[in-house]
Amino acid sequence: MPGCCGCWEVLRPPRYKRLVDSIFPANPQDGLVKNNMDKLTFYAMTTSEKLDRIGMYLEQRLSRDISRHRIGFVFVAMDALDQLLVACHAHSLNLFVESFLKMVQKLLECEEAELQILATQSFIKFANIEEDTPSYHRRYDFFVSKFSVMSHNADRNENVRVKIRGAGLLGLQGVVRKTVSDDLQVNIWDPVHMDKIVPSLLFNMHTPEFMSVNTESPRDEEHPAYIAEMVFRDLVCRASYGNVKSVLQPVLCHIDNHRLWVPNEFAVKCFKIIMYSVQIQRKQQYGYLVIQMLMSHLDTHTNSDPSIKASIIEVLYESVLISAGGSIGPSVLDVFNTLLRHLKTSVDNKSPEGEKRNMEKKFEEAIINTIGEFANNLPDYQKIEIMMFIMGKFPQFSNSEEMGFMDNYLQTMLLKTLLKVATKYKTVIMNNAFPPEFLHPLLRISLLDDPGLRVVVQEILHTLLDRHDNASKLKTVSIPKDVVSELDLTVDKVPRQDSLFMKKNGIQFYWHILENLQMESNKADNFEAIFCTMCLITIEMGGDDILVELIRLALDIQSMTIESTLPKTHKCCNHAIVAAYLNVLAQITNMSPLVQYLSDLFELRRKEACHLLPEFAFNRSNRDSSVKDEDYPKEDKVEEKWLFDQTALQDILTECGHDASRLSAPLAQRPHSSIMIHDSGMVNSMSDIGSINIELDSIESSPLLARKKVEEITVESLKKMLAEDQSVKREEDAKKRQEIFETFQNAPFEEIVARAEAKSNCFHDKLYEILEMSPPSSPDHTTKESQNAVPVFEMQFPSLYVY
């Protein structure tokens, strides 16, 4: 008997096997034997070295039950595995996990949908467990592939299809969750994995029958569309700085391959999810990576259909709206340069087909809106730099006659872009809003031949000048009795720095306003825009220091109109603008004598010369039924009593305590920065002009000295010079020096600057005249270096030398 007992001990199964066998009931419908499961769990936790053997034995039983189609016992085995996984965190758990993953893989390979769903649920529970020890050899390639296949399930039974797809999507989330936080695991961000995971998510998000699902409703939380979107958000949130592109590239490829850019509702939805997700957990700086990827993708579609490019730009625009300042990144100018390059390419390669051209225009408008939204995320100082950068994109021409239609359209697009950026800028100080490198080119562009472009330039000026939202109230030229109350204008005290800015740059504005009003191609919109610009200059920068110059501007416009050969309608508009402008200026500055003088003159015009008032002149192209051509005076003559009298205005200014002496001096000549010298195509030599005798002002650097007469030098004149008394000459020189000293000490600074600029302009004109008179050099002597060299007469002196 003792020997038999010993044989029985040898043949008796190990305890872990007996414990495993005891958890299986006689009837699988009864489920796990709870008491025996507790014993197995306690045994596994106290003798952790047996955990791997328990797993192997459970795997053997599961394989046997699957092969015999004993599905009930399969569910019991998986339930036991799940409980052991949750309860045990021993160092030997890795070996048990290997057995567990093999069992999950076997279940996923089964054709029964319920077993695949069961395996997925177990894997998700496993993915939520944080292991204490790392795993160096575990791989999840099979699970990524299998879950991706399940996400594309096409079973005819809708209920089965929905369950399998949902299980596959949650399985993909489990794989990501299990691997993304462990550097020793497989790199789930590799393209080989992302090219399976991301398309599976997007496929379920875009499936037509799922697109109309209300994802806000709780009853749809198990729907594949809802699950896919949730997993996609979780995937993007878990992506680190270096892995965001790994997610974005499959998204862009999927949209390209399935032609989902047109219509772009789905693309917009995807990138909204991405942009909102990358901002979670303080990842706002990741936003510009998304923008960068979209712009790089736009470059690959340079030759694609305009509708596709327009859709990409719209997606880019929506992404920028969400970015909240984090979309620009370190390379600000590169972003704008890329967008402007696409804008220019679209304009240069425009299609002759009407429908395609409409799509190109939509694409161009989308670029402009996107640039504006980009600029909105920049600080103000960078917005000015961007406007200067856009200004540098304008095509340069030697003369206006060479501007073709394409270049004209390109300028229109660039000006619209400039206007869009300007609307995002909030002006505080005029000197910051109008740096010389930006102001001078902008004012030069205001003299383009196209009246529509000139209106856009004026609108840009309105946007930058207007700090109190008065521009929209000054669009109509009129003469209200109470300007401030009737137009609801906001008028504040002019800051000192703005007055200084206007003293320095006012001549630029004045001269270009005069030039604009002399253009015969002007329409009613042009006149109204110029009137608005003049009023805004007065409201925002019209301090007492420049009040006289503003009135002088009005008088110069009046004089220019009388002396010009403009059409009758244009002259009436100019006179009406002067009247309306002086009315605004008088009431804003509260000069009662000036208001009364203007009121009397307006009443006289209504009786005798109504065509010089806005009510008549501005009737939209002068073709309204109330005004006909025969209503204009037949004779192009304006009586003195209808005009604003300079002497009367001087008396009023003196009465109000202003220095009216400058009102008699006309505004300075054309600003030096506005002189555009055309390329003559000649290379001149200094020896060619040696014999040209043109008298220059050698002494005009002194404001009050007249030009000396040229005196012939002879022997007699030299004798006379030696014999005459030098004391008289010394007294004359001292008197002249005193005059110069008093001029610079007492004369207004603006007057000195104007005279210095006039001298400088005269010098350049004389030099240009000399070079025009010199014959062109022989072609034989023209070298390659001389052709590339900058001619001397084109060199511009710095503005510092003018003062």
Side-chain angles (χ1 to χ4, degrees):
M1 286 298 294
C4 293
C5 291
C7 293
W8 172 248
E9 290 295 333
V10 174
L11 297 175
R12 189 180 182 186
R15 185 182 179 191
Y16 72 89
K17 287 188 178 182
R18 297 198 306 270
L19 291 173
V20 170
D21 292 336
S22 66
I23 67 174
F24 289 90
N27 183 5
Q29 300 297 330
D30 297 337
L32 276 174
V33 179
K34 189 175 184 304
N35 293 334
N36 295 336
M37 186 64 210
D38 292 341
K39 294 177 181 178
L40 177 62
T41 304
F42 179 77
Y43 178 78
M45 294 176 64
T46 54
T47 56
S48 57
E49 66 275 5
K50 300 292 185 179
L51 189 59
D52 58 330
R53 297 187 182 183
I54 294 173
M56 293 175 63
Y57 185 59
L58 277 171
E59 178 189 354
Q60 293 174 8
R61 289 207 53 154
L62 182 70
S63 301
R64 184 170 65 247
D65 292 335
I66 291 175
S67 62
R68 296 177 181 177
H69 296 283
R70 299 167 63 180
I71 305 301
F73 289 107
V74 172
F75 278 86
V76 173
M78 293 305 299
D79 190 10
L81 284 169
D82 294 342
Q83 292 189 31
L84 288 173
L85 275 174
V86 173
C88 300
H89 297 280
H91 295 290
S92 57
L93 184 63
N94 276 333
L95 297 177
F96 176 76
V97 169
E98 294 301 322
S99 300
F100 168 78
L101 292 178
K102 289 179 182 179
M103 286 184 276
V104 173
Q105 181 173 344
K106 287 181 181 180
L107 290 178
L108 290 174
E109 291 173 346
C110 296
E111 296 181 0
E112 290 83 356
E114 55 182 349
L115 294 182
Q116 295 181 15
I117 296 172
L118 175 63
T120 305
Q121 292 172 349
S122 295
F123 183 84
I124 293 171
K125 294 177 182 178
F126 161 70
N128 292 327
I129 297 174
E130 295 184 4
E131 300 181 53
D132 297 332
T133 55
S135 175
Y136 301 95
H137 57 280
R138 196 180 303 162
R139 300 187 63 85
Y140 295 91
D141 297 12
F142 168 80
F143 296 100
V144 173
S145 301
K146 183 59 181 180
F147 289 140
S148 299
V149 172
M150 292 172 63
S151 301
H152 291 80
N153 184 271
D155 194 281
R156 294 182 180 180
N157 189 323
E158 183 177 355
N159 292 331
V160 174
R161 182 171 68 248
V162 169
K163 289 181 179 179
I164 294 180
R165 286 191 180 184
L169 294 170
L170 291 174
L172 290 174
Q173 185 184 31
V175 174
V176 174
R177 186 176 299 171
K178 193 64 180 175
T179 58
V180 73
S181 59
D182 192 348
D183 295 335
L184 299 174
Q185 300 278 7
V186 63
N187 187 7
I188 199 65
W189 305 109
D190 285 344
V192 66
H193 300 306
M194 284 292 110
D195 289 345
K196 297 175 183 177
I197 296 175
V198 175
S200 299
L201 301 177
L202 299 180
F203 171 76
N204 284 277
M205 291 169 60
H206 182 256
T207 303
E209 58 266 25
F210 297 158
M211 288 295 289
S212 59
V213 172
N214 181 13
T215 55
E216 301 295 331
S217 176
R219 60 186 175 85
D220 293 324
E221 288 184 359
E222 295 182 359
H223 204 289
Y226 180 91
I227 296 173
E229 183 174 330
M230 178 191 67
V231 175
F232 186 58
R233 291 179 187 274
D234 183 63
L235 177 67
V236 178
C237 287
R238 293 178 181 275
S240 63
Y241 182 84
N243 297 325
V244 172
K245 293 183 178 181
S246 301
V247 180
L248 293 177
Q249 192 60 44
V251 173
L252 295 171
C253 291
H254 180 85
I255 297 176
D256 281 343
N257 295 336
H258 295 269
R259 299 178 181 178
L260 299 178
W261 288 116
V262 181
N264 65 347
E265 287 83 1
F266 179 70
V268 170
K269 177 183 178 181
C270 289
F271 278 90
K272 280 186 175 180
I273 292 174
I274 293 172
M275 292 302 298
Y276 281 122
S277 299
V278 297
Q279 294 188 83
I280 298 177
Q281 299 175 354
R282 300 179 181 179
K283 293 182 179 180
Q284 290 91 342
Q285 68 272 23
Y286 293 6
Y288 89 90
L289 287 177
V290 181
I291 304 300
Q292 188 181 51
M293 286 288 290
L294 274 171
M295 297 188 67
S296 300
H297 195 68
L298 180 62
D299 289 338
T300 63
H301 285 275
T302 302
N303 299 322
S304 300
D305 189 85
S307 59
I308 296 178
K309 295 191 291 184
S311 296
I312 298 176
I313 287 293
E314 289 177 10
V315 173
L316 187 63
Y317 175 78
E318 294 292 337
S319 301
V320 174
L321 286 177
I322 301 171
S323 62
S327 62
I328 296 297
S331 54
V332 177
L333 292 181
D334 183 59
V335 171
F336 289 91
N337 189 46
T338 301
L339 291 173
L340 290 173
R341 186 179 72 246
H342 282 283
L343 179 63
K344 185 177 185 301
T345 301
S346 177
V347 172
D348 291 344
N349 302 318
K350 64 179 183 295
S351 172
E353 301 176 10
E355 184 176 353
K356 191 173 182 180
R357 182 59 193 146
N358 291 334
M359 291 306 303
E360 289 176 346
K361 289 182 178 179
K362 183 180 178 182
F363 169 64
E364 293 157 4
E365 291 294 335
I367 288 181
I368 293 174
N369 293 332
T370 304
I371 289 177
E373 201 54 45
F374 265 115
N376 193 35
N377 290 334
L378 292 173
D380 282 345
Y381 74 92
Q382 282 190 328
K383 291 174 186 175
I384 291 295
E385 292 179 358
I386 294 305
M387 286 192 280
M388 294 169 60
F389 181 74
I390 296 173
M391 190 73 69
K393 296 293 182 179
F394 278 86
Q396 302 296 323
F397 301 95
S398 58
N399 55 66
S400 59
E401 287 76 18
E402 294 183 9
M403 296 183 185
F405 173 76
M406 182 177 295
D407 295 317
N408 189 52
Y409 184 73
L410 177 59
Q411 288 191 356
T412 303
M413 291 293 102
L414 291 175
L415 280 177
K416 287 183 178 180
T417 305
L418 196 60
L419 177 60
K420 179 65 72 172
V421 177
T423 57
K424 307 298 181 181
Y425 180 79
K426 300 299 181 184
T427 302
V428 179
I429 301 175
M430 294 298 173
N431 195 42
N432 294 340
F434 293 103
E437 299 84 0
F438 173 67
L439 176 62
H440 300 163
L442 181 63
L443 292 177
R444 285 202 296 268
I445 294 175
S446 70
L447 301 178
L448 293 172
D449 290 337
D450 190 334
L453 294 181
R454 297 202 297 272
V455 170
V456 178
V457 175
Q458 296 299 326
E459 290 176 351
I460 295 171
L461 289 173
H462 299 167
T463 303
L464 297 176
L465 287 171
D466 188 18
R467 288 178 294 196
H468 301 92
D469 298 327
N470 292 323
S472 59
K473 308 166 188 174
L474 296 167
K475 294 293 185 182
T476 304
V477 183
S478 61
I479 304 180
K481 291 184 179 180
D482 190 345
V483 172
V484 177
S485 61
E486 291 186 26
L487 299 182
D488 192 23
L489 298 179
T490 303
V491 182
D492 289 338
K493 184 179 179 181
V494 178
R496 176 64 178 170
Q497 55 265 40
D498 290 344
S499 297
L500 296 175
F501 168 80
M502 201 59 188
K503 282 185 178 182
K504 182 179 180 181
N505 299 283
I507 187 63
Q508 296 281 343
F509 289 100
Y510 305 151
W511 187 85
H512 284 91
I513 287 173
L514 282 168
E515 288 296 308
N516 269 275
L517 290 173
Q518 294 183 64
M519 293 191 167
E520 295 187 5
S521 59
N522 281 336
K523 299 179 181 179
D525 291 338
N526 297 96
F527 289 113
E528 291 172 346
I530 295 172
F531 168 75
C532 183
T533 303
M534 294 169 63
C535 292
L536 288 175
I537 291 175
T538 303
I539 293 173
E540 300 294 344
M541 298 182 288
D544 294 339
D545 297 339
I546 64 166
L547 179 61
V548 177
E549 281 77 7
L550 295 175
I551 297 178
R552 179 70 257 176
L553 171 64
L555 293 177
D556 282 358
I557 296 174
Q558 180 178 263
S559 302
M560 175 272 296
T561 304
I562 296 173
E563 298 170 0
S564 68
T565 58
L566 291 171
K568 195 179 302 181
T569 55
H570 287 54
K571 288 187 176 183
C572 292
C573 286
N574 284 344
H575 284 295
I577 285 177
V578 173
Y581 171 66
L582 286 176
N583 181 59
V584 172
L585 184 147
Q587 297 195 37
I588 287 178
T589 55
N590 295 319
M591 297 176 62
S592 300
L594 180 58
V595 173
Q596 183 61 41
Y597 169 76
L598 295 176
S599 179
D600 296 339
L601 187 56
F602 294 157
E603 189 62 32
L604 178 62
R605 285 190 177 184
R606 290 188 180 96
K607 294 178 180 179
E608 302 179 7
C610 62
H611 60 281
L612 301 182
L613 293 174
E615 295 83 355
F616 184 99
F618 285 91
N619 51 78
R620 309 310 298 176
S621 303
N622 295 320
R623 291 294 182 271
D624 188 76
S625 58
S626 62
V627 180
K628 300 179 181 179
D629 288 343
E630 52 267 22
D631 293 335
Y632 285 93
K634 296 181 180 179
E635 295 184 3
D636 188 11
K637 183 179 179 182
V638 180
E639 297 185 14
E640 288 290 335
K641 61 180 181 178
W642 299 340
L643 301 176
F644 299 99
D645 184 52
Q646 177 180 322
T647 305
L649 292 175
Q650 280 183 319
D651 296 339
I652 292 173
L653 288 173
T654 304
E655 180 184 349
C656 294
H658 296 279
D659 181 11
S661 59
R662 288 175 291 170
L663 195 63
S664 58
L667 294 178
Q669 300 181 21
R670 183 177 187 176
H672 174 65
S673 61
S674 298
I675 298 177
M676 294 179 286
I677 301 176
H678 304 314
D679 183 11
S680 61
M682 298 185 299
V683 181
N684 296 299
S685 171
M686 295 303 295
S687 61
D688 296 331
I689 61 175
S691 59
I692 299 176
N693 184 19
I694 292 183
E695 188 178 7
L696 295 176
D697 291 337
S698 61
I699 191 174
E700 270 199 43
S701 58
S702 301
L704 297 180
L705 294 183
R707 180 186 303 171
K708 289 184 177 181
K709 295 183 180 180
V710 178
E711 183 179 356
E712 184 179 2
I713 299 176
T714 61
V715 176
E716 294 297 329
S717 63
L718 292 175
K719 288 182 179 180
K720 184 179 179 181
M721 185 186 306
L722 294 174
E724 67 182 4
D725 188 3
Q726 297 295 325
S727 60
V728 177
K729 185 177 181 180
R730 283 194 294 269
E731 290 179 0
E732 292 180 355
D733 292 341
K735 184 178 180 181
K736 290 177 182 178
R737 283 195 297 271
Q738 183 65 26
E739 288 180 0
I740 295 173
F741 175 76
E742 291 178 355
T743 298
F744 280 95
Q745 187 177 37
N746 301 323
F749 177 73
E750 294 80 2
E751 182 179 344
I752 299 174
V753 171
R755 293 186 180 184
E757 285 184 339
K759 184 273 302 181
S760 177
N761 295 342
C762 180
F763 173 77
H764 279 274
D765 293 341
K766 295 286 187 183
L767 181 59
Y768 183 66
E769 184 180 352
I770 292 173
L771 297 175
E772 285 290 338
M773 294 176 60
S774 62
S777 59
S778 174
D780 298 336
H781 300 288
T782 302
T783 62
K784 182 177 181 181
E785 290 76 17
S786 63
Q787 291 175 355
N788 295 331
V790 178
V792 176
F793 63 91
E794 282 192 358
M795 293 182 181
Q796 299 293 327
F797 292 101
S799 58
L800 179 63
Y801 294 171
V802 174
Y803 294 95

